[in-house]
Each structure stands twice: as structure tokens, then as C-alpha cells.
Amino acid sequence: MSSAHIDTFARDNLPPVDQQPQFLFDLPELQFPAQLNCATELLDRHITEGNGDRTCIRAPNLSWTYADLQDKANRIANVLVRDMGVVPGNRVLLHAPNNPMMAACWFAIIKAGAIAVATMPMLRAKELKAVVDKAQIRHALCDAALAQEMHNTAVQCPGLQTLRHFNDAGPDSLEAAMSRQSGAFTNADTAADDTCIIAFTSGTTGIPKATMHFHRDVMAACACWSRHVLRPTADDVFIGSPPLAFTFGLGGLILFPLSVGASTVLLEKAGPAQLLDGIRDFGATVLFTAPTSYRTLAPRGIELRKTALRRCVSAGEALPVSTRTLWREATGIELIDGIGATEMLHIFISADEAHARPGATGRVVPGYQACVLDEQGQSVPVGTVGKLAVRGPTGCRYLADERQKTYVRDGWNLTGDAYRMDADGYFIYQARTDDMIVSSGYNIAAPEVEDALMLHPAVAECAVIGSPDDERGQIVHAFVALRAGNDGNDVMVKTLQDFVKNTVAPYKYPRAITFVGTLPRTQTGKLQRFKLRDLA
Ligand code: 3UK
């Protein structure tokens, strides 16, 4: 393999070989050529194969064919290389809400052999600066709507040399520069193991970590979970809420639809109301969003049944049985649950609608191996709770980070999740390993208590943590958001406590209950239990 990177920063900062996970390429679809540019496979290939006229990206008042997207991406790639001085291996910051121009910029960066570092639109200058510093970024493409925060960042980051704004009509805009460039571009001849994206972990705690993924990793995600579990066709229309800066969104809204020549709907705002409108107006067939969003959308089941929606994917956090049932009863669609991680790029344990088992995330995705380990790193018997370990064609490569040694042990990726596996190879989620509550010597998984509470009709959302307690070490403490029309009083506390005692083993009941209006969540829809710990 010969690297196309002139700037060798990514390769220089890979974890030492002995700290990297073991990679598996057993499947025939994982035999990648030495030179591989994933933009050629995902985008240009369709034009070469005569499908340039097919719809690729849709958004309110906009529709681009594959040829349109290629033209935009090529022009931007020319701007990057000729105007901005980007060379292969440079990192390019991409800051925008999900929209067509952001997708075009993403492809332009990959085509140029540079490394896309996408960031969530809500990030503030302080957080953006941390990204720029960590990935040593000199070039940025930013949506004009986020110009103010980008400006505040640039002021604090002298290393940031070039910046262009898009979705902007001004004379200095990216669009103006694009109009002066050709729509032809020869993609950088990158090695399959050249880094093409640096993804920051959304993180529910602590300092964000930067993960590096290669061109072949991007294609592997398409070849494994998407090809074997989702099985989309060229006629599918994808839609969803996760930001493209979150690899769940990148896969679900760009990589997987484009890998099969399907189309994707990009929405800047994708709350339940916008999703519902989008599903109806664009005839979406495949939906990607988080469990909480399925709960909010479920009451609109009658309208959803009239749409073309056929596949619904849930990831990001554990899917409660009650949410799976709620969605099935409301829409007639069985959810596809899947656990993925930024470190692994995408989903590695999942089940399609025909194989879904309530309470289980699913079975290991073709191309991956998974097992459950004890504290000593030994495999535990079927049914025993332990640490989830996975390996496959993708895996954890933190950029210059000591935490590599914690995530990867003996070639296995340790995701930080407690799981048990049943005799049929289904993996049953328990908790994040740090969300296991130990009360009077009992191990209690926070999500199990949450699932029980969620079954009560008065409960809209809830979160459970272990609060320090002199007598018991920790006690189960629930934070509950009630549905409209219910009062958070002592009677309700007693009602919910009794309800949990009757649903799961009584020792798991929440000894403390705090009523809240909403629960703290990350931009990717993940519960921030650490914020509740501060509160408690
Ligand atoms: C948790 C789940 C139970 C789990 C992600 C799909 O969430 C993604 O990546 P992150 O790096 O977080 C990883 C952690 O989130 N988790 C995710 N999905 C599930 N827990 N059931 C699930 N279905 O703790 C995991 O370790 O933000 C998800 C695809 C790409 C992703 N990056």
C-alpha cells in the first residue's frame, strides 16, 4: 500500500501496533484493494455505472442527483486544493447542521485525500477549539449560519489558516469560489489504510477522545451491518436525526444510502415534528433515530402507518422493551436495535426485524466477533454478566491518547458496557460498566430499573443512578419526568415504588425518586447520568 498522505500527522499519531485491536477480514466482501478512496466507491461509482441521474440527496426545497452531488463535491475539492492549499493528510474541520452542502463538503475533503473532522452544530468555541487543537487543524469549512461561533473559535486558534463559509451568497463564500472552479476532479489515490475521518466521541463524561478511521473502515461498515442487517435497496429513502458529526448519523444518512445508490433526506432540525413531516413529504422508507425519539413519535402511529416507512433503526442507547412494544403497536414496525460506538465506527451487535428479541440488542454482526469477559479478561459462561469485548474489520484507534490501553486489551475492543449472552448468542444489555449500582451488596443495572419504571403509564422518561448512602453504599435513585396530567407528589412516589417492586425483584426499587421536567441529554440523545449524580 502506498499512502497518499503528504501530511503524515494521522499515521504518526496512530496507537502503537501492540495497543491496536486485532482486525478481522474473513468475509469475502472485506477483501479491500491496497489503494482505496471511499468517495470513489460511494459517489463516483454511481455516475460511472450510468446512474448519475438518480436522486441522491433531498432536503426542503432541494433535490440533487448523484451527478449534482459529484459536481459540487468536485468543485469544493478544487477549492480546497487550489485556493486553500489543502494537501492529502491535512485535517479539515467541517462545522454545520445536517444539510446537502455539508455532505458535499464531506465528499470533497475525502476526494482530496484530506481527513474530515465533522463537529456537532451546537458546539461552542470552547469545544471547537479543543477539536482544532487535538487534531491540529489548519483548514475549515463552516455553514454561514454558524459563522459567529466559528469566528470566536478562529480568534482563539491562530493555527487555523483558511476558512470558507457555505450556504452563503456573499462574494467570499465557498459557493462563489466553487463557481470559479471546474466540476472535474481526480480523487487522491489514497491507501485503504489512510485515515479519512477523525470522529470525536460524543462522550457522556470527561474529555472527548478522537478516533481515527481509514477509507477501508468506511467501506467495512457498509459491508457488514448495512449489507447484512439493514439490507437497503437503491429505491430506499433514508431519513433521521443523528448529526453527520456522529458516526451513527454519518453511516445512516450518508454511507449506507450511498453505498447502494439510494437517496437520503438531510434535515437541519430533526425533532419528532420535522421527522414526521419529512417521512411523509419525502416518502422516507428507512428511519434512523434514538430511543427517546421513538417514544415521542409513537403517538403519531396512525399518520406513520399511512407513510412508506418500512425500517426503523434505534441506536445510541439501550432500547427499553416498553419502547419496542410501543413502536410496534403504534406503527406495525419492529425496531432494528443495534449497538455501535464511535471507536468501532458503527453497529457491531444487532438484529433485523425478523430476528429481534425484546430485551436483547441482537447477535454479533457478520464480520465481527463478540464475547463477555470477567475482571481477569477470561470469557464468562453463558448467562453471566461481564464486560463486552468485540473485534472485527473496524476498531479503536485513538489519536495520541493514553486511554487506548483501556479500550483495547489483548486485541479486543472493550466498549465499557456490561452485557450477558444467552445460549442462542443474543447479547442482553445491562448497563454501562460505570452505571452498575451496588446497593447492600446487590448489583443493580440502572437501565433495568428504568425499563420497569417506563412501563408505568404516568412515566414519560426516567433515569436511574446510584446515590451514595452511608448504610447501603449506594441506593437506587430515580429521576422521573411525568406525562402531562400527573402530579409528582408523595402518593406518586409510593405508586411508582410499588410498581417497580411488582415488576422486577423488589430490592431493585428506587428508594429515592426525584421528579424533573426533562432529563439531561447529549446532542446525540444520550442520557447524561453524571449530571444527575451531581444533582443528587
Ligand atoms: C451505548 C448502546 C445499548 C453503549 C453509536 C451506533 O452510540 C454510538 O456511539 P457512541 O460512541 O457511544 C457508544 C456507547 O453507546 N450504546 C449505543 N447503542 C446502544 N447501548 N444499546 C444500544 N443499541 O454504551 C456504547 O458503548 O456515542 C451507535 C452507531 C454508531 C455510533 N457511534
Side-chain angles (χ1 to χ4, degrees):
M1 285 190 224
S2 59
S3 171
H5 286 185
I6 292 169
D7 175 346
T8 58
F9 172 82
R11 203 168 282 269
D12 297 343
N13 282 289
L14 283 173
V17 175
D18 63 320
Q19 290 178 24
Q20 288 190 28
Q22 190 190 337
F23 293 103
L24 309 174
F25 301 99
D26 302 337
L27 297 181
E29 51 271 41
L30 295 175
Q31 309 307 309
F32 299 112
Q35 302 305 119
L36 178 72
N37 186 316
C38 66
T40 311
E41 304 303 311
L42 295 171
L43 175 53
D44 303 288
R45 177 174 65 88
H46 299 294
I47 293 100
T48 315
E49 291 176 358
N51 291 315
D53 290 339
R54 284 184 64 90
T55 304
C56 179
I57 297 189
R58 299 191 63 189
N61 303 314
L62 177 148
S63 179
W64 285 352
T65 62
Y66 274 85
D68 292 334
L69 178 63
Q70 185 190 45
D71 176 73
K72 311 266 178 201
N74 284 352
R75 286 171 189 275
I76 301 167
N78 281 317
V79 173
L80 288 170
V81 173
R82 293 161 189 246
D83 291 354
M84 297 171 71
V86 169
V87 301
N90 281 172
R91 280 73 55 215
V92 180
L93 184 76
L94 187 48
H95 190 51
N98 290 4
N99 60 42
M101 275 300 281
M102 185 192 191
C105 289
W106 189 87
F107 276 108
I109 296 166
I110 307 287
K111 280 171 160 272
I115 299 170
V117 188
T119 46
M120 314 265 180
M122 306 265 284
L123 292 197
R124 295 294 183 184
K126 183 176 180 293
E127 295 143 314
L128 287 171
K129 180 181 187 309
V131 170
V132 170
D133 289 348
K134 177 89 197 182
Q136 294 187 25
I137 300 178
R138 290 200 293 268
H139 309 281
L141 298 174
C142 178
D143 192 303
L146 305 176
Q148 183 61 55
E149 216 53 42
M150 195 65 234
H151 172 77
N152 298 345
T153 310
V155 170
Q156 297 173 46
C157 298
L160 208 57
Q161 292 161 3
T162 64
L163 164 64
R164 296 285 186 284
H165 290 101
F166 53 88
N167 291 324
D168 184 356
D172 301 324
S173 67
L174 179 61
E175 281 86 347
M178 286 164 71
S179 69
R180 294 188 290 266
Q181 295 292 342
S182 135
F185 184 84
T186 305
N187 295 350
D189 187 21
T190 44
D193 67 355
D194 276 334
T195 293
C196 67
I197 62 170
I198 292 180
F200 279 77
T201 56
S202 61
T204 47
T205 53
I207 317 135
K209 293 164 267 192
T211 67
M212 297 193 272
H213 296 291
F214 299 163
H215 286 268
R216 69 159 199 243
D217 300 333
V218 166
M219 298 319 298
C222 301
C224 293
W225 180 78
S226 182
R227 173 177 170 150
H228 291 276
V229 181
L230 186 65
R231 289 173 283 113
T233 74
D235 294 323
D236 273 314
V237 179
F238 287 61
I239 197 167
S241 65
L244 299 179
F246 180 26
T247 61
F248 179 40
L250 179 70
L253 299 174
I254 300 281
L255 310 180
F256 307 153
L258 270 66
S259 70
V260 295
S263 68
T264 183
V265 180
L266 297 179
L267 301 172
E268 296 199 345
K269 290 205 171 63
Q274 291 93 345
L275 279 178
L276 186 69
D277 289 347
I279 292 165
R280 191 186 48 229
D281 299 347
F282 296 103
T285 57
V286 182
L287 171 63
F288 280 74
T289 191
T292 162
S293 177
Y294 285 109
R295 286 192 283 277
T296 332
L297 269 172
R300 312 301 290 270
I302 296 169
E303 290 145 276
L304 285 162
R305 278 176 187 269
K306 295 181 195 141
T307 68
L309 197 61
R310 68 179 189 101
R311 293 243 152 113
C312 299
V313 180
S314 171
E317 59 181 0
L319 175 68
V321 175
S322 56
T323 306
R324 177 182 284 287
T325 310
L326 185 70
W327 190 252
R328 186 197 314 113
E329 286 173 356
T331 65
I333 301 171
E334 189 70 57
L335 280 169
I336 302 177
D337 189 8
I339 177 173
T342 309
E343 289 82 352
M344 301 301 297
L345 188 53
H346 221 272
I347 295 173
F348 46 85
I349 289 175
S350 181
D352 66 17
E353 54 274 64
H355 297 89
R357 271 201 198 169
T361 310
R363 286 187 288 197
V364 70
V365 167
Y368 288 84
Q369 295 174 351
C371 60
V372 180
L373 305 176
D374 65 15
E375 291 299 326
Q376 284 71 46
Q378 299 299 311
S379 196
V380 300
V382 160
T384 309
V385 175
K387 297 176 175 191
L388 180 67
V390 290
R391 60 187 184 193
T394 61
C396 178
R397 298 181 203 100
Y398 287 136
L399 193 168
D401 203 310
E402 274 302 306
R403 290 169 287 187
Q404 178 75 20
K405 289 190 213 138
T406 320
Y407 204 96
V408 177
R409 294 269 177 88
D410 300 326
W412 290 89
N413 299 276
L414 301 180
T415 64
D417 298 291
Y419 261 88
R420 76 186 152 81
M421 192 186 80
D422 73 10
D424 302 322
Y426 277 83
F427 285 82
I428 297 129
Y429 178 79
Q430 310 294 309
R432 290 288 303 170
T433 38
D434 40 15
D435 287 333
M436 289 295 292
I437 302 164
V438 185
S439 185
S440 304
Y442 286 111
N443 284 330
I444 303 164
E448 198 188 351
V449 185
E450 290 163 6
D451 287 4
L453 275 167
M454 215 95 83
L455 292 170
H456 193 279
V459 176
E461 291 263 51
C462 70
V464 165
I465 60 162
S467 283
D469 182 77
D470 287 342
E471 204 182 317
R472 297 170 200 276
Q474 284 186 313
I475 56 160
V476 176
H477 187 159
F479 292 78
V480 176
L482 293 170
R483 284 189 196 285
N486 295 285
D487 276 338
N489 51 28
D490 290 350
V491 180
M492 182 59 83
V493 169
K494 180 84 171 61
T495 307
L496 293 178
Q497 288 176 329
D498 289 343
F499 182 77
V500 173
K501 285 185 196 170
N502 288 319
T503 312
V504 291
Y507 68 86
K508 296 176 183 171
Y509 87 94
R511 286 175 189 271
I513 294 185
T514 305
F515 294 104
V516 293
T518 53
L519 294 170
R521 289 190 180 274
T522 64
Q523 289 162 51
T524 55
K526 264 193 235 303
L527 204 57
Q528 293 169 300
R529 289 198 180 76
F530 74 99
K531 289 208 171 153
L532 296 173
R533 276 182 210 121
D534 294 348
L535 240 151

